[in-house]
Coordinates of all heavy atoms in Angstrom, one line a residue:
M1 N 10.3 18.6 7.3 CA 9.3 18.2 8.2 C 9.7 16.9 9.0 O 10.3 16.0 8.4 CB 8.0 18.0 7.5 CG 6.9 17.7 8.3 SD 5.3 17.6 7.4 CE 5.0 19.4 7.3
N2 N 9.5 16.9 10.3 CA 9.8 15.7 11.1 C 8.9 14.5 10.8 O 7.8 14.6 10.9 CB 9.7 16.1 12.6 CG 10.2 15.1 13.5 OD1 10.4 13.9 13.1 ND2 10.5 15.5 14.7
E3 N 9.6 13.4 10.3 CA 8.9 12.2 9.9 C 8.3 11.5 11.0 O 7.4 10.6 10.9 CB 9.8 11.2 9.1 CG 10.1 11.8 7.7 CD 10.7 10.8 6.8 OE1 10.4 9.6 7.0 OE2 11.5 11.2 5.9
D4 N 8.7 11.8 12.3 CA 8.2 11.2 13.5 C 6.7 11.7 13.8 O 5.9 11.1 14.4 CB 9.0 11.4 14.7 CG 10.4 10.6 14.7 OD1 10.3 9.6 14.0 OD2 11.3 11.1 15.2
I5 N 6.5 12.9 13.2 CA 5.2 13.6 13.5 C 4.2 13.3 12.4 O 3.0 13.0 12.6 CB 5.4 15.0 13.7 CG1 6.2 15.4 14.9 CG2 4.0 15.8 13.7 CD1 6.5 16.8 15.0
F6 N 4.7 13.2 11.1 CA 3.8 13.1 9.9 C 4.3 12.0 9.0 O 5.5 11.9 8.7 CB 3.8 14.4 9.2 CG 2.9 14.4 7.9 CD1 1.6 14.6 8.1 CD2 3.4 14.2 6.7 CE1 0.8 14.6 7.1 CE2 2.6 14.3 5.7 CZ 1.3 14.4 5.8
R7 N 3.5 11.0 8.8 CA 3.8 9.9 7.9 C 2.8 9.8 6.9 O 1.6 10.1 7.0 CB 3.9 8.6 8.7 CG 5.0 8.6 9.7 CD 5.0 7.2 10.4 NE 5.9 7.3 11.4 CZ 7.2 6.9 11.4 NH1 7.7 6.4 10.2 NH2 8.0 6.9 12.5
I8 N 3.2 9.4 5.6 CA 2.4 9.2 4.5 C 2.2 7.8 4.4 O 3.1 6.9 4.4 CB 3.0 9.8 3.2 CG1 3.3 11.2 3.3 CG2 2.2 9.4 2.0 CD1 4.1 11.9 2.2
F9 N 0.9 7.3 4.2 CA 0.5 5.9 4.0 C -0.3 5.8 2.7 O -1.0 6.8 2.3 CB -0.4 5.4 5.2 CG 0.4 5.3 6.5 CD1 0.4 6.2 7.4 CD2 1.1 4.1 6.7 CE1 1.0 6.1 8.6 CE2 1.9 4.0 7.9 CZ 1.8 5.0 8.9
V10 N -0.2 4.7 2.2 CA -0.9 4.4 0.9 C -1.8 3.1 1.1 O -1.3 2.1 1.6 CB 0.1 4.1 -0.3 CG1 -0.5 3.7 -1.5 CG2 1.0 5.4 -0.5
S11 N -2.9 3.2 0.6 CA -3.8 2.0 0.7 C -3.3 0.9 -0.2 O -3.0 1.1 -1.3 CB -5.2 2.4 0.2 OG -6.0 1.3 -0.1
G12 N -3.2 -0.3 0.5 CA -2.8 -1.4 -0.2 C -3.7 -1.8 -1.4 O -3.3 -2.1 -2.5
R13 N -5.0 -1.6 -1.2 CA -6.0 -1.8 -2.3 C -5.8 -0.9 -3.4 O -5.8 -1.2 -4.6 CB -7.4 -1.7 -1.7 CG -7.8 -2.9 -0.9 CD -9.3 -2.9 -0.4 NE -9.6 -4.1 0.3 CZ -9.9 -5.3 -0.3 NH1 -10.0 -5.4 -1.5 NH2 -10.1 -6.3 0.5
D14 N -5.6 0.4 -3.1 CA -5.3 1.5 -4.1 C -4.0 1.1 -4.9 O -4.0 1.3 -6.1 CB -5.3 2.8 -3.5 CG -6.7 3.3 -3.0 OD1 -7.7 2.7 -3.4 OD2 -6.7 4.3 -2.4
L15 N -3.0 0.7 -4.2 CA -1.8 0.4 -4.8 C -1.9 -0.8 -5.8 O -1.4 -0.7 -6.9 CB -0.7 0.2 -3.8 CG 0.7 -0.2 -4.4 CD1 1.3 0.9 -5.2 CD2 1.7 -0.6 -3.3
K16 N -2.6 -1.8 -5.3 CA -2.8 -2.9 -6.2 C -3.6 -2.6 -7.5 O -3.2 -3.0 -8.5 CB -3.6 -4.0 -5.4 CG -4.0 -5.2 -6.2 CD -5.1 -6.1 -5.4 CE -5.7 -7.1 -6.4 NZ -6.6 -6.6 -7.4
D17 N -4.5 -1.7 -7.3 CA -5.4 -1.3 -8.5 C -4.5 -0.5 -9.5 O -4.5 -0.7 -10.7 CB -6.6 -0.5 -8.0 CG -7.6 -1.2 -7.3 OD1 -7.5 -2.5 -7.4 OD2 -8.4 -0.6 -6.7
E18 N -3.7 0.4 -8.9 CA -2.8 1.2 -9.7 C -1.7 0.4 -10.4 O -1.3 0.8 -11.5 CB -2.2 2.4 -8.9 CG -3.1 3.5 -8.5 CD -3.8 4.2 -9.7 OE1 -3.0 4.5 -10.6 OE2 -4.9 4.5 -9.6
L19 N -1.3 -0.6 -9.8 CA -0.3 -1.5 -10.4 C -0.9 -2.5 -11.4 O -0.2 -3.2 -12.0 CB 0.5 -2.2 -9.3 CG 1.4 -1.4 -8.5 CD1 2.1 -2.3 -7.3 CD2 2.6 -0.7 -9.3
K20 N -2.2 -2.4 -11.5 CA -3.0 -3.3 -12.4 C -2.8 -4.8 -12.1 O -2.6 -5.6 -13.0 CB -2.6 -3.0 -13.9 CG -2.7 -1.6 -14.3 CD -4.1 -1.1 -14.5 CE -4.1 0.3 -15.0 NZ -4.8 1.2 -14.3
I21 N -2.7 -5.2 -10.9 CA -2.5 -6.4 -10.4 C -3.8 -7.1 -10.4 O -4.8 -6.7 -9.8 CB -1.8 -6.5 -9.0 CG1 -0.4 -6.0 -9.2 CG2 -1.8 -7.9 -8.4 CD1 0.4 -5.7 -7.9
T22 N -3.9 -8.4 -11.1 CA -5.2 -9.0 -11.2 C -5.5 -10.0 -10.1 O -6.6 -10.5 -10.0 CB -5.3 -9.7 -12.6 OG1 -4.2 -10.6 -12.8 CG2 -5.3 -8.6 -13.7
T23 N -4.6 -10.3 -9.3 CA -4.7 -11.4 -8.2 C -5.7 -10.8 -7.1 O -5.6 -9.5 -7.0 CB -3.3 -11.6 -7.6 OG1 -2.4 -12.0 -8.6 CG2 -3.4 -12.7 -6.5
A24 N -6.4 -11.6 -6.5 CA -7.3 -11.1 -5.5 C -6.5 -10.5 -4.4 O -5.4 -10.8 -4.1 CB -8.1 -12.3 -4.8
Y25 N -7.1 -9.3 -3.8 CA -6.4 -8.5 -3.0 C -5.8 -9.3 -1.8 O -4.6 -9.1 -1.5 CB -7.2 -7.3 -2.4 CG -6.4 -6.5 -1.4 CD1 -5.4 -5.6 -1.8 CD2 -6.8 -6.6 0.1 CE1 -4.7 -4.9 -0.8 CE2 -6.0 -5.9 1.0 CZ -5.0 -5.1 0.5 OH -4.3 -4.4 1.4
T26 N -6.6 -10.1 -1.1 CA -6.1 -10.7 0.1 C -4.9 -11.7 -0.2 O -4.0 -11.8 0.6 CB -7.2 -11.5 0.9 OG1 -7.8 -12.3 0.0 CG2 -8.1 -10.5 1.5
T27 N -5.0 -12.3 -1.3 CA -4.0 -13.2 -1.7 C -2.7 -12.5 -2.1 O -1.6 -12.8 -1.6 CB -4.3 -14.0 -3.0 OG1 -5.5 -14.8 -2.7 CG2 -3.2 -15.0 -3.4
W28 N -2.8 -11.3 -2.8 CA -1.7 -10.6 -3.2 C -0.9 -9.9 -1.9 O 0.2 -10.0 -1.8 CB -2.1 -9.4 -4.2 CG -1.0 -8.4 -4.5 CD1 0.0 -8.7 -5.3 CD2 -0.9 -7.1 -3.8 NE1 0.8 -7.5 -5.3 CE2 0.3 -6.6 -4.4 CE3 -1.7 -6.4 -2.9 CZ2 0.7 -5.3 -4.1 CZ3 -1.2 -5.1 -2.6 CH2 0.0 -4.6 -3.2
I29 N -1.7 -9.4 -1.0 CA -1.2 -8.7 0.1 C -0.6 -9.6 1.1 O 0.6 -9.4 1.5 CB -2.2 -7.7 0.9 CG1 -1.4 -6.8 1.7 CG2 -3.2 -8.5 1.7 CD1 -0.6 -5.7 1.1
Q30 N -1.1 -10.8 1.2 CA -0.5 -11.9 2.2 C 0.8 -12.3 1.6 O 1.8 -12.5 2.3 CB -1.5 -13.0 2.4 CG -2.6 -12.6 3.2 CD -3.7 -13.7 3.3 OE1 -3.6 -14.7 2.6 NE2 -4.6 -13.5 4.2
R31 N 0.8 -12.5 0.3 CA 2.1 -13.0 -0.3 C 3.1 -11.9 -0.3 O 4.3 -12.1 0.0 CB 1.8 -13.4 -1.8 CG 3.0 -14.0 -2.5 CD 2.7 -14.5 -3.9 NE 2.1 -13.4 -4.7 CZ 1.1 -13.5 -5.5 NH1 0.4 -14.7 -5.6 NH2 0.6 -12.5 -6.2
T32 N 2.7 -10.7 -0.7 CA 3.7 -9.6 -0.6 C 4.3 -9.3 0.8 O 5.5 -9.1 0.9 CB 2.9 -8.3 -1.1 OG1 2.5 -8.5 -2.5 CG2 3.9 -7.1 -1.2
V33 N 3.4 -9.3 1.8 CA 3.9 -9.2 3.1 C 4.9 -10.2 3.5 O 5.9 -9.9 4.2 CB 2.7 -9.1 4.2 CG1 3.2 -9.2 5.6 CG2 2.0 -7.7 3.9
A34 N 4.6 -11.5 3.2 CA 5.5 -12.6 3.5 C 6.8 -12.4 2.7 O 7.9 -12.7 3.3 CB 4.8 -13.9 3.3
Q35 N 6.7 -12.2 1.4 CA 8.0 -12.1 0.7 C 8.9 -11.1 1.1 O 10.1 -11.2 1.0 CB 7.6 -12.0 -0.8 CG 7.0 -13.3 -1.5 CD 6.6 -13.0 -2.8 OE1 6.4 -11.9 -3.3 NE2 6.4 -14.1 -3.6
K36 N 8.3 -9.9 1.4 CA 9.1 -8.7 1.7 C 9.5 -8.6 3.3 O 10.2 -7.7 3.6 CB 8.4 -7.4 1.3 CG 7.8 -7.4 -0.1 CD 9.0 -7.2 -1.0 CE 8.4 -7.0 -2.4 NZ 9.5 -7.1 -3.4
L37 N 8.9 -9.5 4.0 CA 9.1 -9.6 5.4 C 8.7 -8.3 6.1 O 9.3 -7.8 7.1 CB 10.5 -9.9 5.8 CG 11.2 -11.2 5.2 CD1 12.6 -11.4 5.4 CD2 10.4 -12.4 5.8
F38 N 7.6 -7.7 5.6 CA 7.1 -6.5 6.2 C 6.5 -6.8 7.6 O 5.9 -7.9 7.9 CB 6.0 -5.9 5.3 CG 6.3 -5.4 4.0 CD1 5.5 -5.2 3.0 CD2 7.7 -4.9 3.9 CE1 5.8 -4.6 1.8 CE2 8.1 -4.3 2.7 CZ 7.2 -4.2 1.6
R39 N 6.7 -5.9 8.5 CA 6.3 -6.0 9.9 C 5.1 -5.1 10.1 O 5.0 -3.9 9.9 CB 7.4 -5.7 10.9 CG 8.5 -6.6 10.7 CD 9.7 -6.0 11.3 NE 10.2 -4.9 10.4 CZ 11.1 -4.1 10.7 NH1 11.8 -4.1 11.8 NH2 11.4 -2.9 9.8
E40 N 4.0 -5.7 10.7 CA 2.8 -4.9 11.1 C 3.2 -3.9 12.1 O 3.9 -4.2 13.1 CB 1.6 -5.8 11.5 CG 0.4 -5.1 11.8 CD -0.8 -6.0 12.0 OE1 -0.7 -7.2 12.1 OE2 -2.0 -5.5 12.0
G41 N 2.7 -2.7 11.9 CA 3.0 -1.6 12.9 C 4.2 -0.8 12.4 O 4.4 0.3 12.9
I42 N 5.0 -1.3 11.5 CA 6.1 -0.6 11.0 C 6.0 -0.3 9.5 O 6.0 0.8 9.1 CB 7.5 -1.5 11.3 CG1 7.6 -1.6 12.7 CG2 8.7 -0.9 10.6 CD1 8.7 -2.4 13.2
E43 N 6.0 -1.5 8.7 CA 5.7 -1.1 7.2 C 4.3 -1.1 6.8 O 3.9 -0.6 5.7 CB 6.4 -2.3 6.4 CG 7.9 -2.1 6.4 CD 8.6 -2.9 7.5 OE1 8.0 -3.7 8.2 OE2 9.8 -2.7 7.7
Y44 N 3.4 -1.6 7.7 CA 2.0 -1.6 7.3 C 1.1 -1.7 8.6 O 1.6 -2.1 9.6 CB 1.5 -2.7 6.3 CG 1.5 -4.0 7.0 CD1 0.3 -4.6 7.5 CD2 2.7 -4.8 7.2 CE1 0.3 -5.8 8.1 CE2 2.6 -6.1 7.7 CZ 1.4 -6.6 8.1 OH 1.4 -7.9 8.7
I45 N -0.1 -1.2 8.4 CA -1.1 -1.3 9.4 C -2.4 -1.9 8.8 O -2.8 -1.4 7.7 CB -1.6 0.1 10.1 CG1 -0.3 0.7 10.6 CG2 -2.7 -0.1 11.1 CD1 -0.5 2.2 11.0
E46 N -2.9 -3.0 9.3 CA -4.1 -3.6 8.8 C -5.3 -2.8 9.3 O -5.4 -2.6 10.5 CB -4.1 -5.0 9.2 CG -5.4 -5.7 8.5 CD -5.4 -7.2 8.8 OE1 -4.3 -7.9 8.4 OE2 -6.3 -7.8 9.3
T47 N -6.3 -2.5 8.4 CA -7.5 -1.8 8.8 C -8.7 -2.6 8.3 O -8.6 -3.4 7.3 CB -7.6 -0.4 8.2 OG1 -7.6 -0.5 6.7 CG2 -6.3 0.4 8.6
T48 N -9.9 -2.4 8.9 CA -11.1 -3.0 8.3 C -12.2 -1.9 8.3 O -12.2 -1.0 9.1 CB -11.6 -4.1 9.2 OG1 -11.8 -3.7 10.5 CG2 -10.5 -5.3 9.1
T49 N -13.1 -2.0 7.4 CA -14.2 -1.1 7.3 C -15.4 -1.9 6.9 O -15.3 -2.9 6.2 CB -14.0 0.0 6.2 OG1 -13.6 -0.6 5.0 CG2 -12.9 0.9 6.5
P50 N -16.6 -1.5 7.4 CA -17.8 -2.2 7.0 C -18.0 -2.1 5.5 O -17.8 -1.2 4.9 CB -18.9 -1.5 7.8 CG -18.2 -0.5 8.6 CD -16.9 -0.3 8.2
R51 N -18.6 -3.3 5.0 CA -18.9 -3.4 3.6 C -20.4 -2.8 3.4 O -21.1 -2.9 4.4 CB -18.9 -4.7 3.0 CG -17.4 -5.2 2.9 CD -17.5 -6.6 2.2 NE -16.2 -7.1 2.0 CZ -15.4 -7.0 0.8 NH1 -16.0 -6.4 -0.2 NH2 -14.2 -7.6 0.8
E52 N -20.8 -2.5 2.3 CA -22.1 -2.0 2.0 C -22.7 -2.9 0.9 O -22.1 -3.7 0.3 CB -22.1 -0.6 1.4 CG -21.6 0.4 2.5 CD -21.6 1.8 2.0 OE1 -22.1 2.1 0.9 OE2 -21.2 2.6 2.8
G53 N -24.0 -2.8 0.7 CA -24.7 -3.6 -0.4 C -24.8 -5.1 -0.1 O -25.1 -5.5 1.1
K54 N -24.6 -6.0 -1.0 CA -24.8 -7.4 -0.9 C -24.0 -8.0 0.3 O -24.3 -9.0 0.9 CB -24.5 -8.1 -2.1 CG -25.4 -7.9 -3.2 CD -25.1 -8.7 -4.5 CE -26.0 -8.4 -5.6 NZ -25.7 -9.1 -6.8
R55 N -22.8 -7.4 0.5 CA -21.9 -7.9 1.5 C -22.0 -7.2 2.9 O -21.1 -7.2 3.7 CB -20.5 -7.9 1.0 CG -20.3 -8.9 -0.1 CD -18.8 -8.9 -0.4 NE -18.6 -9.9 -1.5 CZ -17.3 -10.2 -1.9 NH1 -16.3 -9.5 -1.4 NH2 -17.2 -11.1 -2.9
A56 N -23.0 -6.5 3.1 CA -23.2 -5.6 4.2 C -23.1 -6.6 5.5 O -23.6 -7.7 5.5 CB -24.6 -5.0 4.3
G57 N -22.4 -6.2 6.5 CA -22.2 -6.9 7.7 C -20.8 -7.5 7.7 O -20.3 -7.8 8.7
N58 N -20.3 -7.8 6.5 CA -18.9 -8.2 6.4 C -18.0 -7.0 6.5 O -18.4 -5.9 6.3 CB -18.6 -9.0 5.1 CG -19.3 -10.3 5.0 OD1 -19.8 -10.9 6.0 ND2 -19.6 -10.8 3.9
R59 N -16.8 -7.3 6.8 CA -15.8 -6.3 6.8 C -14.7 -6.3 5.7 O -14.3 -7.4 5.4 CB -15.0 -6.3 8.3 CG -16.1 -6.2 9.4 CD -15.7 -5.6 10.6 NE -15.0 -4.5 10.7 CZ -15.5 -3.2 10.9 NH1 -16.8 -3.1 10.8 NH2 -14.8 -2.2 11.0
K60 N -14.4 -5.2 5.2 CA -13.4 -5.1 4.1 C -12.0 -4.8 4.7 O -11.8 -3.9 5.4 CB -13.8 -4.0 3.1 CG -12.9 -3.9 1.9 CD -13.5 -2.8 1.1 CE -12.7 -2.6 -0.2 NZ -13.3 -1.5 -1.0
I61 N -11.0 -5.7 4.4 CA -9.7 -5.5 4.9 C -8.9 -4.7 3.9 O -8.9 -4.8 2.7 CB -9.0 -6.9 5.1 CG1 -9.8 -7.7 6.1 CG2 -7.6 -6.7 5.4 CD1 -9.3 -9.1 6.3
D62 N -8.1 -3.8 4.5 CA -7.1 -3.0 3.7 C -5.9 -2.9 4.5 O -5.9 -3.3 5.7 CB -7.7 -1.6 3.4 CG -7.0 -0.9 2.2 OD1 -5.9 -1.4 1.7 OD2 -7.3 0.2 1.8
H63 N -4.8 -2.5 3.9 CA -3.5 -2.2 4.7 C -3.0 -0.9 4.3 O -3.0 -0.5 3.1 CB -2.6 -3.3 4.2 CG -2.9 -4.7 4.6 ND1 -4.0 -5.4 3.9 CD2 -2.6 -5.5 5.6 CE1 -4.2 -6.5 4.4 NE2 -3.3 -6.6 5.4
L64 N -2.8 -0.1 5.3 CA -2.1 1.1 5.0 C -0.6 0.9 5.0 O 0.1 0.4 6.0 CB -2.4 2.1 6.3 CG -3.9 2.4 6.4 CD1 -4.0 3.4 7.6 CD2 -4.4 3.0 5.1
L65 N 0.1 1.2 3.9 CA 1.5 0.8 3.6 C 2.3 2.0 3.8 O 1.9 3.1 3.3 CB 1.6 0.2 2.2 CG 0.8 -0.9 1.9 CD1 0.8 -1.3 0.3 CD2 1.2 -2.2 2.7
S66 N 3.4 1.9 4.4 CA 4.4 3.1 4.6 C 5.0 3.3 3.2 O 5.0 2.5 2.3 CB 5.5 2.7 5.6 OG 6.3 1.6 5.1
L67 N 5.6 4.5 3.1 CA 6.3 4.9 1.9 C 7.4 3.9 1.5 O 7.5 3.6 0.3 CB 6.8 6.3 1.9 CG 5.9 7.4 1.7 CD1 6.6 8.7 1.7 CD2 5.2 7.2 0.4
S68 N 8.1 3.5 2.5 CA 9.2 2.5 2.2 C 8.7 1.2 1.7 O 9.3 0.7 0.8 CB 10.1 2.3 3.5 OG 9.4 1.8 4.5
A69 N 7.6 0.7 2.3 CA 7.0 -0.5 1.7 C 6.5 -0.3 0.3 O 6.7 -1.2 -0.5 CB 5.9 -0.9 2.7
V70 N 5.9 0.8 0.1 CA 5.3 1.1 -1.3 C 6.5 1.1 -2.3 O 6.5 0.6 -3.4 CB 4.5 2.4 -1.4 CG1 4.2 2.7 -2.8 CG2 3.2 2.2 -0.6
K71 N 7.6 1.8 -1.9 CA 8.7 1.9 -2.8 C 9.4 0.5 -3.1 O 9.7 0.2 -4.2 CB 9.8 2.8 -2.2 CG 9.4 4.3 -2.1 CD 10.5 5.2 -1.4 CE 10.0 6.5 -1.3 NZ 11.0 7.3 -0.6
E72 N 9.4 -0.3 -2.1 CA 9.9 -1.6 -2.3 C 9.0 -2.5 -3.2 O 9.5 -3.2 -4.1 CB 10.1 -2.3 -0.9 CG 10.9 -3.6 -1.1 CD 11.2 -4.3 0.3 OE1 11.4 -3.6 1.3 OE2 11.6 -5.5 0.2
I73 N 7.7 -2.4 -3.0 CA 6.8 -3.1 -3.8 C 6.9 -2.7 -5.2 O 7.0 -3.4 -6.2 CB 5.3 -3.0 -3.3 CG1 5.2 -3.7 -2.0 CG2 4.4 -3.4 -4.4 CD1 3.9 -3.4 -1.3
C74 N 6.9 -1.3 -5.5 CA 7.0 -0.8 -6.8 C 8.4 -1.1 -7.5 O 8.4 -1.3 -8.7 CB 6.8 0.7 -6.8 SG 5.1 1.2 -6.5
S75 N 9.4 -1.0 -6.7 CA 10.7 -1.3 -7.4 C 10.9 -2.7 -7.8 O 11.8 -3.0 -8.7 CB 11.9 -0.9 -6.3 OG 11.9 -1.9 -5.3
T76 N 10.1 -3.7 -7.3 CA 10.2 -5.1 -7.8 C 9.0 -5.4 -8.7 O 8.9 -6.6 -9.1 CB 10.3 -6.1 -6.5 OG1 9.2 -5.9 -5.7 CG2 11.6 -5.7 -5.8
S77 N 8.2 -4.5 -8.9 CA 6.9 -4.8 -9.6 C 7.3 -4.8 -11.2 O 8.1 -4.0 -11.6 CB 5.9 -3.8 -9.4 OG 4.7 -3.9 -10.2
N78 N 6.6 -5.6 -11.9 CA 6.6 -5.6 -13.3 C 5.7 -4.6 -14.0 O 5.6 -4.6 -15.2 CB 6.5 -7.0 -13.9 CG 7.6 -7.9 -13.5 OD1 8.7 -7.5 -13.4 ND2 7.3 -9.2 -13.3
S79 N 4.9 -3.9 -13.2 CA 3.9 -3.0 -13.7 C 4.5 -1.9 -14.4 O 5.4 -1.3 -13.9 CB 3.0 -2.6 -12.6 OG 2.1 -1.6 -13.0
K80 N 3.8 -1.5 -15.5 CA 4.2 -0.2 -16.2 C 4.0 1.1 -15.4 O 4.7 2.0 -15.6 CB 3.5 -0.1 -17.5 CG 3.8 -1.2 -18.5 CD 3.1 -1.1 -19.8 CE 3.4 -2.2 -20.7 NZ 2.7 -2.1 -21.9
N81 N 3.1 1.0 -14.5 CA 2.8 2.1 -13.6 C 3.7 2.3 -12.4 O 3.7 3.4 -11.7 CB 1.3 2.1 -13.1 CG 0.2 2.1 -14.2 OD1 0.6 2.5 -15.3 ND2 -0.9 1.8 -13.9
A82 N 4.5 1.3 -12.1 CA 5.3 1.4 -10.9 C 6.3 2.6 -10.9 O 6.4 3.2 -9.9 CB 6.1 0.1 -10.8
K83 N 6.9 2.9 -12.1 CA 7.7 4.0 -12.1 C 7.1 5.3 -11.9 O 7.6 6.3 -11.2 CB 8.6 4.1 -13.5 CG 9.6 5.1 -13.5 CD 10.4 5.0 -14.8 CE 11.5 6.0 -14.8 NZ 12.4 6.0 -15.9
E84 N 5.9 5.5 -12.5 CA 5.1 6.7 -12.3 C 4.7 6.8 -10.9 O 4.7 8.0 -10.3 CB 3.8 6.6 -13.1 CG 4.1 6.7 -14.6 CD 2.9 6.6 -15.5 OE1 1.8 6.9 -14.9 OE2 2.9 6.1 -16.6
I85 N 4.3 5.7 -10.1 CA 3.9 5.8 -8.8 C 5.1 6.3 -7.9 O 5.0 7.1 -7.0 CB 3.4 4.5 -8.3 CG1 2.1 4.1 -9.0 CG2 3.3 4.5 -6.7 CD1 1.6 2.7 -8.8
L86 N 6.3 5.7 -8.2 CA 7.5 6.0 -7.4 C 7.8 7.5 -7.7 O 8.2 8.3 -6.7 CB 8.7 5.3 -7.9 CG 8.7 3.8 -7.4 CD1 9.8 3.0 -8.1 CD2 8.9 3.7 -5.9
L87 N 7.7 8.1 -8.9 CA 7.9 9.5 -9.1 C 6.9 10.4 -8.4 O 7.2 11.5 -7.9 CB 7.9 9.8 -10.6 CG 9.1 9.3 -11.4 CD1 8.8 9.5 -12.9 CD2 10.3 10.0 -11.0
Y88 N 5.6 10.0 -8.5 CA 4.6 10.7 -7.7 C 4.9 10.9 -6.3 O 4.8 11.9 -5.7 CB 3.2 10.0 -8.0 CG 2.1 10.7 -7.2 CD1 1.6 11.9 -7.6 CD2 1.7 10.1 -6.0 CE1 0.5 12.5 -6.9 CE2 0.7 10.7 -5.3 CZ 0.1 11.9 -5.6 OH -0.8 12.5 -4.9
L89 N 5.2 9.7 -5.6 CA 5.5 9.7 -4.2 C 6.7 10.5 -3.9 O 6.8 11.2 -2.8 CB 5.7 8.2 -3.7 CG 4.4 7.4 -3.8 CD1 4.7 6.0 -3.4 CD2 3.3 8.0 -2.9
Q90 N 7.7 10.4 -4.7 CA 8.9 11.3 -4.5 C 8.6 12.7 -4.5 O 9.1 13.6 -3.7 CB 10.1 11.0 -5.4 CG 11.4 11.7 -5.2 CD 11.9 11.3 -3.8 OE1 12.0 10.2 -3.4 NE2 12.3 12.4 -3.0
N91 N 7.8 13.1 -5.5 CA 7.4 14.6 -5.6 C 6.6 14.9 -4.5 O 6.7 16.1 -4.0 CB 6.6 14.8 -6.9 CG 7.6 14.8 -8.1 OD1 8.7 15.0 -8.0 ND2 7.0 14.4 -9.3
L92 N 5.6 14.1 -3.9 CA 4.8 14.4 -2.8 C 5.7 14.6 -1.6 O 5.5 15.5 -0.9 CB 3.8 13.2 -2.7 CG 2.9 13.4 -1.5 CD1 2.0 14.7 -1.6 CD2 2.0 12.1 -1.3
K93 N 6.6 13.6 -1.4 CA 7.5 13.8 -0.2 C 8.3 15.1 -0.3 O 8.4 15.7 0.8 CB 8.4 12.5 -0.2 CG 9.2 12.5 1.1 CD 10.0 11.2 1.2 CE 10.7 11.1 2.5 NZ 11.5 10.0 2.7
N94 N 8.8 15.5 -1.5 CA 9.6 16.7 -1.6 C 8.6 17.9 -1.3 O 9.1 18.8 -0.7 CB 10.1 16.8 -3.0 CG 11.3 15.8 -3.3 OD1 11.8 15.3 -2.3 ND2 11.5 15.5 -4.5
D95 N 7.4 17.9 -1.8 CA 6.5 18.9 -1.6 C 6.2 19.2 -0.1 O 6.0 20.3 0.3 CB 5.2 18.8 -2.4 CG 5.4 18.9 -3.8 OD1 6.4 19.5 -4.2 OD2 4.4 18.6 -4.6
L96 N 6.2 18.1 0.7 CA 5.8 18.2 2.1 C 7.0 18.4 3.0 O 6.9 18.7 4.1 CB 5.2 16.8 2.5 CG 3.9 16.6 1.9 CD1 3.4 15.2 2.3 CD2 2.9 17.6 2.3
S97 N 8.2 18.4 2.4 CA 9.5 18.6 3.1 C 9.7 20.1 3.4 O 9.3 21.0 2.7 CB 10.7 18.1 2.5 OG 10.6 16.7 2.3

């Protein structure tokens, strides 16, 4: 499949949760983007969605991460789930090819 037409993105918030990272999301993603020198529009896209409940009116920030960004984050992570995530993404990419 042509990667210019179809790209897989992973939610930064979901990745952080799966890696069992306890740091606040905004702190973690800002540090990760800076350390890895990720470029907006290439390795990630910042998104916002409205919050509900007590924080209604505020916006929730997330980042759609490219597969290459997720692989880089997982390959340097100390999380036990990182290897499983990498295998899952590889299988997903193979299934879509």
Side-chain angles (χ1 to χ4, degrees):
M1 184 170 280
N2 186 339
E3 288 193 31
D4 291 332
I5 297 171
F6 183 78
R7 294 187 188 261
I8 300 171
F9 291 95
V10 175
S11 160
R13 288 186 177 275
D14 290 348
L15 179 62
K16 176 193 167 289
D17 291 346
E18 289 299 319
L19 291 173
K20 309 285 190 237
I21 294 170
T22 58
T23 305
Y25 176 73
T26 53
T27 301
W28 173 76
I29 196 67
Q30 288 172 353
R31 184 176 58 224
T32 300
V33 165
Q35 286 175 345
K36 307 290 186 191
L37 303 175
F38 290 159
R39 297 160 293 168
E40 188 167 7
I42 298 174
E43 285 91 10
Y44 73 95
I45 300 168
E46 186 173 303
T47 65
T48 60
T49 55
R51 289 185 181 263
E52 296 178 7
K54 292 181 181 180
R55 294 186 175 181
N58 292 337
R59 305 211 41 95
K60 183 177 181 178
I61 296 172
D62 197 356
H63 296 77
L64 300 179
L65 303 168
S66 68
L67 277 182
S68 62
V70 173
K71 289 176 184 178
E72 188 168 341
I73 292 168
C74 288
S75 67
T76 59
S77 173
N78 294 326
S79 170
K80 294 179 181 179
N81 292 349
K83 186 174 182 177
E84 291 176 25
I85 293 168
L86 287 170
L87 288 172
Y88 172 80
L89 292 175
Q90 185 60 47
N91 289 335
L92 179 62
K93 189 173 180 180
N94 290 342
D95 289 346
L96 296 173
S97 298

